[in-house]
């Protein structure tokens, strides 16, 4: 962190480069699924990239219940290699046919949130038109989101053998967290989603709306003074939430480096898919390894637990479209 402070004081131009967005080599293969779903380029102004190089090579082959992400991502890569050149050559109908065939092949192999989103697109509910061009672009958006999908953190018996039972858990206190967080909603970009915090029940409730290309609601707790969490390994949460088999949420963290770029933060995904009681979700600080700004990855250091400025929760499409509820039974740090 000392090195970063010296960089900021002595080389401001270098810091601007450090916190600049990472640019994708693909015209339509964003490196982040949130950006793919929130900020797609206009079909009329874009060619469709045949690149699927951003797909993780080490995706889990099977997650139970028929889920096979490795197969799904391989099928998508094959479809893009055929459909994108066809689209760019003017054969839009061929591209749409290839994408629809691939989507039908993989829909049953996807985790519930991705499956629901792809089903909505296949039956036309999420298309901005009823022609082949609209279908091709809507399916490509879904494919990019699937390629970048990372399985959420879920309840576990223990984060490791070195966790000494309850003595390793340090719940957040009322003195640490303000009673009312700051809501950050998609209305900042014209959306119509809504979310609020019920302090009495420790519950985040709201509705995500796809209107005006929106689809997220979040809450942010600001820390004053800045927190030093270097003695801990990560954050744990005991939660119950709506639609356990489909809804996933995001945990947001900011450090002092994030404060140098407006809207910059770190995010990771969690859920309680089995509606497990009294089993925490353990999220290590190492999971916060990519700084981003409105869904765009930034060049910058990993999360610094020695200088924490903000903690947040987010509900966002595609896993949450409509009403949601997230009850925090307990959360804090684990050592």
């Amino acid at each position: 962190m000392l090195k970063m402070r010296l960089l900021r004081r002595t080389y401001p131009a270098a810091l601007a480069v450090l916190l600049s967005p990472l640019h994708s080599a693909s015209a339509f293969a964003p490196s982040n699924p949130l950006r793919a779903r929130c900020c797609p380029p206009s079909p009329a102004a874009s060619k469709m990239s045949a690149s699927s190089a951003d797909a993780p090579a080490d995706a889990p082959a099977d997650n139970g219940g028929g889920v096979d992400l490795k197969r799904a991502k391989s099928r998508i890569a094959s479809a893009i290699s055929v459909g994108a050149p066809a689209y760019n050559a003017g054969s839009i109908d061929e591209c749409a046919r290839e994408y629809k065939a691939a989507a039908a092949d993989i829909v049953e192999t996807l985790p519930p949130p991705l499956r629901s989103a792809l089903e909505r697109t296949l039956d036309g509910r999420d298309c901005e038109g009823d022609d082949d061009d609209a279908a091709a672009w809507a399916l490509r958006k879904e494919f990019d989101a699937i390629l970048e999908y990372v399985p959420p953190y879920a309840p576990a018996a223990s984060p490791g053998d070195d966790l000494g039972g309850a003595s390793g858990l340090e719940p957040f206190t009322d003195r640490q967290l303000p009673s009312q967080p700051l809501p950050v909603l998609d209305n900042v970009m014209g959306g119509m989603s809504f979310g609020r915090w019920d302090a009495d029940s420790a519950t985040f409730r709201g509705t995500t709306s796809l209107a005006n290309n929106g689809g997220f609601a979040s809450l942010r707790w600001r820390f004053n003074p800045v927190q030093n969490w270097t003695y801990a390994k990560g954050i744990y949460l005991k939660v119950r939430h709506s639609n356990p088999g489909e809804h996933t949420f995001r945990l947001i963290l900011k450090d002092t480096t994030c404060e140098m770029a407006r809207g910059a933060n770190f995010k990771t995904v969690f859920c309680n898919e089995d509606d497990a009681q009294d089993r925490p979700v353990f999220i290590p600080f190492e999971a916060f390894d990519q700084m981003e700004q409105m869904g765009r990855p930034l060049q910058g250091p990993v999360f610094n637990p020695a200088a924490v400025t903000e903690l947040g929760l987010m509900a966002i499409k595609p896993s949450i479209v409509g009403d949601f509820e997230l009850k925090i039974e307990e959360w804090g740090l684990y050592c």
Side-chain angles (χ1 to χ4, degrees):
M1 193 60 194
L2 176 60
K3 184 178 180 181
M4 176 59 64
R5 285 198 294 269
L6 291 174
L7 180 65
R8 183 186 186 195
R9 180 161 53 246
T10 311
Y11 303 104
L15 180 62
V17 172
L18 181 66
L19 295 180
S20 63
L22 292 171
H23 297 288
S24 170
S26 164
F28 197 67
S31 58
N32 186 291
L34 307 186
R35 176 164 170 76
R37 304 191 64 80
C38 294
C39 308
S42 167
S46 304
K47 284 185 175 295
M48 192 172 285
S49 171
S51 170
S52 57
D54 289 333
D58 57 350
D62 189 273
N63 230 359
V67 172
D68 191 342
L69 278 172
K70 185 174 182 179
R71 175 181 175 275
K73 292 181 179 187
S74 176
R75 180 67 177 91
I76 287 172
S78 175
I80 290 173
S81 70
V82 173
Y87 184 98
N88 294 333
S91 299
I92 297 175
D93 56 339
E94 180 184 348
C95 175
R97 282 197 302 272
E98 180 64 27
Y99 285 3
K100 288 177 182 178
D105 287 346
I106 68 172
V107 66
E108 296 299 326
T109 70
L110 300 175
L114 296 177
R115 185 186 311 152
S116 297
L118 188 58
E119 286 173 343
R120 289 195 302 269
T121 301
L122 272 173
D123 65 21
R125 281 178 287 168
D126 283 358
C127 292
E128 298 178 358
D130 57 3
D131 58 3
D132 287 335
D133 187 70
W137 281 98
L139 286 167
R140 181 58 192 265
K141 285 170 62 179
E142 296 300 332
F143 288 170
D144 285 336
I146 294 167
L147 289 173
E148 290 299 325
Y149 174 78
V150 176
Y153 284 89
S158 168
D161 294 336
D162 57 347
L163 179 65
S167 64
L169 304 181
E170 181 183 293
F172 291 133
T173 66
D174 293 339
R175 293 184 63 182
Q176 284 177 288
L177 299 180
S179 59
Q180 283 299 328
L182 174 70
V184 178
L185 310 173
D186 59 13
N187 57 19
V188 299
M189 50 190 288
M192 300 180 66
S193 299
F194 169 77
R196 67 181 181 87
W197 176 253
D198 183 344
D200 292 336
S201 62
T203 302
F204 178 26
R205 293 189 179 91
T207 303
T208 58
S209 169
L210 301 179
N212 301 330
N213 204 31
F216 76 86
S218 70
L219 303 172
R220 312 296 176 88
W221 285 265
R222 297 287 296 174
F223 292 119
N224 185 17
V226 172
Q227 301 287 295
N228 184 345
W229 291 348
T230 53
Y231 63 91
K233 295 180 178 179
I235 294 176
Y236 77 94
L237 307 96
K238 295 180 181 179
V239 301
R240 307 287 295 278
H241 59 76
S242 51
N243 200 349
E246 182 169 334
H247 285 181
T248 61
F249 296 83
R250 280 161 176 75
L251 184 68
I252 303 169
L253 287 175
K254 292 184 71 169
D255 60 18
T256 50
T257 304
C258 292
E259 303 293 342
M260 300 176 188
R262 183 181 179 185
N265 56 42
F266 297 89
K267 296 186 184 77
T268 195
V269 186
F270 71 93
C271 71
N272 185 355
E273 60 186 357
D274 297 323
D275 201 26
Q277 299 186 41
D278 300 321
R279 288 175 54 200
V281 179
F282 294 100
I283 305 178
F285 290 138
E286 288 81 2
F288 301 91
D289 59 358
Q290 176 61 69
M291 188 187 301
E292 62 178 69
Q293 182 184 53
M294 297 297 290
R296 296 176 300 170
L298 296 176
Q299 296 178 359
V302 298
F303 172 67
N304 179 12
V308 187
T309 61
E310 185 175 283
L311 172 70
L313 297 169
M314 174 179 278
I316 189 169
K317 64 180 183 182
S319 73
I320 301 178
V321 178
D323 296 339
F324 67 85
E325 182 173 296
L326 173 67
K327 179 176 176 55
I328 306 292
E329 296 182 344
E330 182 179 314
W331 59 342
L333 304 175
Y334 72 89
C335 303

